[in-house]
Amino acid sequence: MIVKKTVVFLLTAVLIAVLILPQGMDTYAADFNYGEALQKAIMFYEFQRSGKLPENTRNNWRGDSCLEDGADNGLDLTGGWFDAGDHVKFNLPMAYAVTMLAWSVYESRDAYEKSGQLPYILDNIKWVTDYFIKCHPSPNVYYYQVGDGALDHAWWGPAEVLQMARPSFKVDTSNPGSTVVAETAAAMAASSIIFKPTDPSYAATLLQHAKDLFTFADTTRSDKGYTKAEGYYSSHSGFYDELTWASVWLYLATGDDSYLQKAESYKPYWETERGTTIIKYSWAHCWDNKSFGTYLLLARITGDSFYKQCIENHLDWWTTGYNGTKVQYTPKGLAWLDGWGSLRYATTEAFLASVYADWEGCDPSKAAKYQEFAKKQVDYALGSSGRSFVVGFGVNPPKNPHHRTAHGSWCGMMDTPPESRHVLVGALVGGPGSSDNYNDSLSDYQCNEVANDYNAGFVGVLAKMYEKYGGNPIPNLTAYETPGEEFFVEAAVNAAGAGFVNIKATINNRSGWPARGSDKLSARYFVDITETLAKGIGLDQIVVDSTTTGGAKVSQLLPWDEANNIYYVNIDFTGVNIFPGGMNDYKRDVYFTITVPYGEGNWDNTNDFSFQGLEQGFISNKTEYIPIYDGNVRVWGSVPPGGNEIEPSPTPTSIKPTPTPTSTVGVKYGDLNDDDSIDSLDLTLIKRYVLRKYKISNPEDEAKFRAAADLDGDGEITSLDVTLLKRYVLRKINKFPVEG
C-alpha cells in the first residue's frame, strides 16, 4: 500500500510539473546553471585578446601585447585574438569562431539579451571584426596571419612580454587564399547582421568588406598563397565549403538572390563520402569544414528536401546512426570523433542539432532526438561524467589548461610554476579520450588545449540551453585575482671579514598581474654607519666595489637618514630590460662589496637594516629588507624609518571591483593595533599587510584593520598608505587625507 501511494504521488508530481512548465520549455529540468556557463564561455575570449586592451577589461592579469603587429608591412594589424594557448593570430580559425558566435546571436539574440550577455558577446565579436578590417587594406589584399608558428611555439611565456619578431603574411591576386578569405567574408557578413540593429553604420562597413572579400575569394579560387599556416591550419576540405558558407551568409545579410544562386552553384564541388556519390555526412562542422552548417542553413532558407536530407544524414550519424554507421561514443556518453578537441566537435554538433531541431521544418520525432543529443553533450562538458571540462565552472574543473599566459611562467619553463597562476575562466578544454580518460596536465596538448574554435560552437549551444532551461548568470562577473609576489630580491652574504662584506643580490621580475618588463628597476641596500663615524672614519673613506653587476650601475653610499647615519647602496638597472620571459631574462645577479678601512671594529654590518635575515653561503633567501623600485615607485620590500621617499600610488588596473565599504565608527586612523597610539608598531603592521606577510583570519577584525589603515580614503590599502603613516609617525604630517 505504501509503495502504491508513493508511485501515485510521484506520477502526480510529474504531471503537475509538466502542466506548469512555461510554454516551449522541455519537460526535463536543467542539471546545470546554463546562464553562468554561457557568460563564462563568452568571457574566455577576453583572455585571448591581442593588442591594446580597453578600459572595460574584466580581469587584472592580461595586459597590452604585440603593439607592433603589422609594422613589418607598414600597417597597424594590432587586435584580434591569439589562436589558442600560443600567440599566433591565425585568421582562418579566428574568422570561423566569429562566424559561429555571430550565428549564435542570429539564432538566440533574445537569450543573450535576457541573460545580460549581449553587450559582452558583441564586444568580443567587434574586437575581431575591427582587426579584420585592418587586415583588408584593399579589395584584393588580405593579411591572413600575424606571427610565425615555428618561432612562436618554441617559446613559453606570457603574451605581454613576447620579444620575438612577428611577421605578417598576406594573400593577393598573384598568391590567393580563397579558403581564409571566404571564411572572413562569412564572418563579416554574419557580423553585419547582428550589428545592424544597434550600429547600422558599422554593419554597413562590415558588409562592404564581406562583399569585396567574397568576390576576391570567388574570382581567384585558389589557395596558392595560403602557405604560412600549413601544418597548423591547412585547408584539408578545400575552399568550396567556405565559398558556399560565405555566399549563404551574404544572402542572409543582403536578401540578394544572386548570393543564394552562387551558393547552390557550388554543389557539384561538395565533398562526398569516399567511393560514393552521397554528400559527406561523417565528420563535423569545424574550422576546416563548413559544409554541415551550410546544409542546415540552405535547408531552412529553401525548404529543399535535398538539403534537409544532407543535414539529417549528418545529424543522424551523430545520434542514432546513418547507413549502418555512427560516431563513436565513450562509456559515459560523449560523442567522440577525434582525440584532438573531442569536446569541440561534440558541442559544435550539439549546436547544429539544437538549431535544426528548433526549425519548424524538422520532423518532431527527429527534433526530440536531436535536442536530447544536444543537452547530453553540453551536460557532459559541464560535468555529468563526474567532472567539469570548463575552466572555472562546476565540480573539479580543469586547473592547468595548455595556455602560456594563463600559466604565467617567468622562466620559459612549462613546469615552473607547477600549476597555472591564473584562472582561464570559461575555456573549454580539448576533452577526454575515447574511454573518458582525462589528464589535467599543462603538457597534455590533446586533453588540455584550448582554442577560439573550441569555445565557438560551445557558446552557441549554451545560449540554446539557456533559452530552454534558464539559469542565473553571476552579477557583475569579473576575473580579478589577488596578485602574487611579482618583484623581490633574494640575497646572501657571499663573504665577510674585518671591515667588509660582500653581498650577492638577485633581482627578480616574476610579474603576472599582468606580466610586464621594465628597464627602470633598481634596488637599495641600507647600512648604518654610526659606529664607523664614531671611530672618526669619514663617509668618503667607505668604498663600494662591484664585480658582477648584471648590467647595473652600483653607487657609493647615498644618504637616506643622515641624522641617524643611515645610508644605502643604489643598484640601478636603468636601461636593462628585466622581464618574465626566460631563464636569462627574469632576473639579474649583482655582487658588491662594502669596505671600511682599518680593520675590525670599525663597522658592524650585522646591525644594518638590509643585513637582516641574510645567511652566509651559496643559498640566497628572499628578503624584504632590500627593496625594489620601478622608477621612483617602490614595488617590493621595506625601508628604514626616515628618508624622504615619495611613493606615488601604483597605477590602478583598468577597472576595480567596487570595494565593500567599511564602517568608520569608532575607528582611529593609523591605530592599527588598537592600543590608542600611532607609532612604529602600527607602521610595521601596515608594511607587513601590504607585503602580504600579515594576515588577519577574522573578517570583522580585518574590516576594522582596513578601515584604520585606509589613510587616503580610496578603499584600498597600498604603499601610499604606508608612506602616509610613516610621515605621520615622523611628525611630518599631523593628520591623514581621509580626515579632511
Side-chain angles (χ1 to χ4, degrees):
M1 184 63 78
I2 294 174
V3 173
K4 286 184 178 179
K5 286 183 178 178
T6 303
V7 171
V8 171
F9 173 78
L10 290 173
L11 289 173
T12 303
V14 169
L15 180 60
I16 292 171
V18 171
L19 292 173
I20 64 174
L21 280 173
Q23 189 174 3
M25 191 76 80
D26 284 342
T27 57
Y28 47 95
D31 298 316
F32 299 94
N33 185 347
Y34 298 115
E36 177 190 348
L38 173 63
Q39 73 176 158
K40 289 184 173 180
I42 294 169
M43 176 176 273
F44 161 75
Y45 288 103
E46 294 179 31
F47 303 117
Q48 296 300 100
R49 290 181 173 183
S50 177
K52 186 170 182 60
L53 300 187
E55 291 296 315
N56 64 351
T57 298
R58 294 187 290 172
N59 69 82
N60 63 341
W61 58 270
R62 284 299 327 281
D64 299 343
S65 61
C66 302
L67 300 182
E68 298 298 318
D69 281 2
D72 59 319
N73 283 299
L75 296 172
D76 173 11
L77 298 181
T78 59
W81 293 328
F82 298 122
D83 175 57
D86 60 352
H87 303 126
V88 183
K89 295 190 297 198
F90 292 108
N91 285 20
L92 177 58
M94 193 190 314
Y96 161 79
V98 167
T99 311
M100 293 298 293
L101 294 176
W103 186 8
S104 176
V105 177
Y106 179 75
E107 299 291 338
S108 306
R109 193 180 192 98
D110 288 347
Y112 284 107
E113 288 181 339
K114 184 179 178 182
S115 65
Q117 301 311 301
L118 183 62
Y120 297 109
I121 193 166
L122 291 180
D123 187 48
N124 277 296
I125 291 171
K126 189 174 185 297
W127 186 261
V128 179
T129 53
D130 284 351
Y131 162 72
F132 286 157
I133 290 172
K134 298 177 184 178
C135 291
H136 187 215
S138 61
N140 294 326
V141 174
Y142 179 70
Y143 285 83
Y144 67 89
Q145 183 175 320
V146 181
D148 184 286
L151 292 174
D152 182 271
H153 289 194
W155 180 76
W156 188 268
E160 291 76 11
V161 295
L162 193 150
Q163 302 291 307
M164 70 187 64
R166 290 175 57 80
S168 49
F169 305 97
K170 70 178 180 180
V171 290
D172 53 28
T173 52
S174 300
N175 292 285
S178 294
T179 293
V180 66
V181 173
E183 182 57 59
T184 308
M188 301 296 256
S191 297
S192 76
I193 298 173
I194 64 168
F195 279 107
K196 191 172 182 178
T198 56
D199 193 343
S201 177
Y202 186 66
T205 298
L206 296 178
L207 185 57
Q208 187 58 57
H209 280 278
K211 291 176 177 179
D212 291 345
L213 286 163
F214 176 75
T215 300
F216 176 27
D218 187 47
T219 54
T220 53
R221 298 195 185 188
S222 168
D223 279 335
K224 175 185 174 184
Y226 181 67
T227 58
K228 290 304 295 187
E230 290 294 328
Y232 302 99
Y233 290 99
S234 306
S235 180
H236 304 287
S237 65
F239 49 77
Y240 282 106
D241 57 315
E242 280 82 15
L243 287 172
T244 313
W245 178 241
S247 55
V248 168
W249 279 110
L250 276 162
Y251 170 74
L252 292 171
T254 63
D256 185 341
D257 284 340
S258 67
Y259 288 114
L260 181 58
Q261 293 166 10
K262 270 285 185 184
E264 296 194 282
S265 74
Y266 300 126
K267 281 195 293 185
Y269 305 103
W270 287 3
E271 194 175 3
T272 58
E273 291 293 324
R274 185 174 296 179
T276 76
T277 58
I278 302 172
I279 297 297
K280 190 170 182 67
Y281 57 81
S282 62
W283 192 245
H285 189 82
C286 60
W287 64 266
D288 181 42
N289 196 327
K290 321 311 184 319
S291 300
F292 311 105
T294 304
Y295 306 158
L296 193 161
L297 291 173
L298 285 171
R300 214 167 55 175
I301 291 168
T302 66
D304 192 312
S305 60
F306 172 78
Y307 301 122
K308 289 183 64 178
Q309 190 67 56
C310 288
I311 184 60
E312 289 179 6
N313 290 350
H314 174 65
L315 293 177
D316 287 348
W317 186 78
W318 273 89
T319 53
T320 56
Y322 176 73
N323 201 25
T325 64
K326 65 183 289 187
V327 73
Q328 181 180 352
Y329 276 73
T330 70
K332 294 183 179 180
L334 176 66
W336 193 92
L337 179 68
D338 188 75
W340 289 93
S342 57
L343 283 167
R344 165 258 312 263
Y345 294 121
T347 56
T348 301
E349 288 301 320
F351 173 65
L352 264 62
S354 187
V355 169
Y356 188 71
D358 283 344
W359 177 45
E360 66 272 13
C362 179
D363 179 85
S365 63
K366 284 185 177 288
K369 174 179 65 178
Y370 297 156
Q371 292 287 20
E372 181 184 12
F373 163 79
K375 187 175 188 301
K376 284 184 176 179
Q377 299 309 302
V378 173
D379 287 356
Y380 186 103
L382 298 181
S384 66
S385 71
R387 69 164 306 142
S388 167
F389 293 96
V390 180
V391 179
F393 178 89
V395 176
N396 193 21
K399 294 183 179 179
N400 296 293
H402 185 78
H403 193 278
R404 290 158 174 78
T405 305
H407 179 229
S409 179
W410 52 85
C411 62
M413 304 292 290
M414 201 177 293
D415 59 358
T416 304
E419 292 190 344
S420 294
R421 299 169 89 186
H422 310 297
V423 182
L424 193 66
V425 176
L428 177 73
V429 298
S434 58
S435 58
D436 298 300
N437 53 297
Y438 171 74
N439 182 26
D440 184 14
S441 170
L442 190 73
S443 60
D444 192 323
Y445 314 103
Q446 284 190 277
C447 285
N448 257 19
E449 182 72 275
V450 298
N452 299 326
D453 70 294
Y454 284 22
N455 263 54
F458 184 50
V459 167
V461 73
L462 285 172
K464 282 293 186 181
M465 294 299 105
Y466 179 81
E467 277 183 347
K468 297 178 184 300
Y469 310 112
N472 299 299
I474 297 172
N476 303 314
L477 176 68
T478 65
Y480 284 93
E481 300 173 348
T482 301
E485 289 182 334
E486 299 188 286
F487 300 89
F488 58 87
V489 173
E490 298 166 302
V493 179
N494 191 55
F500 84 94
V501 64
N502 180 262
I503 301 295
K504 175 191 176 183
T506 302
I507 313 300
N508 284 260
N509 178 355
R510 303 187 185 185
S511 58
W513 289 270
R516 55 204 184 274
S518 177
D519 61 358
K520 297 180 178 63
L521 294 181
S522 62
R524 297 180 180 183
Y525 185 91
F526 291 92
V527 299
D528 184 338
I529 60 171
T530 299
E531 66 277 4
T532 302
L533 297 176
K535 294 280 188 176
I537 300 171
L539 178 65
D540 60 341
Q541 295 176 277
I542 304 172
V543 178
V544 181
D545 289 316
S546 58
T547 51
T548 301
T549 67
K553 298 179 179 67
V554 181
S555 75
Q556 299 300 310
L557 293 185
L558 298 171
W560 174 258
D561 181 3
E562 291 183 270
N564 291 297
N565 305 317
I566 307 299
Y567 291 78
Y568 66 93
V569 177
N570 193 47
I571 304 161
D572 186 1
F573 283 98
T574 298
V576 179
N577 187 24
I578 304 175
F579 62 97
M583 291 296 294
N584 298 318
D585 302 309
Y586 80 92
K587 63 181 180 180
R588 290 292 187 276
D589 293 331
V590 175
Y591 290 83
F592 62 92
T593 304
I594 305 173
T595 304
V596 175
Y598 313 131
E600 189 172 355
N602 292 331
W603 178 40
D604 178 15
N605 65 274
T606 62
N607 68 0
D608 294 339
F609 178 84
S610 294
F611 194 83
Q612 297 178 74
L614 300 189
E615 297 181 5
Q616 188 161 348
F618 297 104
I619 304 299
S620 294
N621 297 320
K622 189 182 299 181
T623 172
E624 66 177 277
Y625 302 109
I626 305 178
I628 295 179
Y629 293 77
D630 190 359
N632 65 345
V633 178
R634 177 155 47 95
V635 295
W636 160 263
S638 305
V639 296
N644 293 311
E645 179 182 75
I646 299 175
E647 287 186 88
S649 180
T651 302
T653 53
S654 301
I655 299 176
K656 291 184 178 178
T658 303
T660 302
T662 54
S663 175
T664 59
V665 177
V667 168
K668 183 177 181 180
Y669 293 108
D671 182 15
L672 307 186
N673 60 355
D674 202 24
D675 66 354
D676 205 33
S677 66
I678 304 172
D679 51 30
S680 59
L681 292 176
D682 300 298
L683 184 58
T684 299
L685 284 175
I686 193 172
K687 286 179 179 178
R688 292 182 61 81
Y689 187 84
V690 170
L691 293 170
R692 300 179 185 86
K693 295 184 176 291
Y694 177 54
K695 296 182 179 179
I696 307 169
S697 57
N698 186 298
E700 292 183 3
D701 290 341
E702 183 172 25
K704 186 176 180 180
F705 179 95
R706 289 181 63 87
D710 183 15
L711 305 178
D712 59 356
D714 69 349
E716 302 288 328
I717 312 302
T718 69
S719 59
L720 182 57
D721 298 299
V722 177
T723 298
L724 289 169
L725 186 54
K726 179 171 66 178
R727 291 177 65 80
Y728 186 94
V729 171
L730 294 172
R731 297 188 176 91
K732 295 184 178 183
I733 58 175
N734 57 17
K735 68 177 183 179
F736 302 111
V738 71
E739 297 175 300

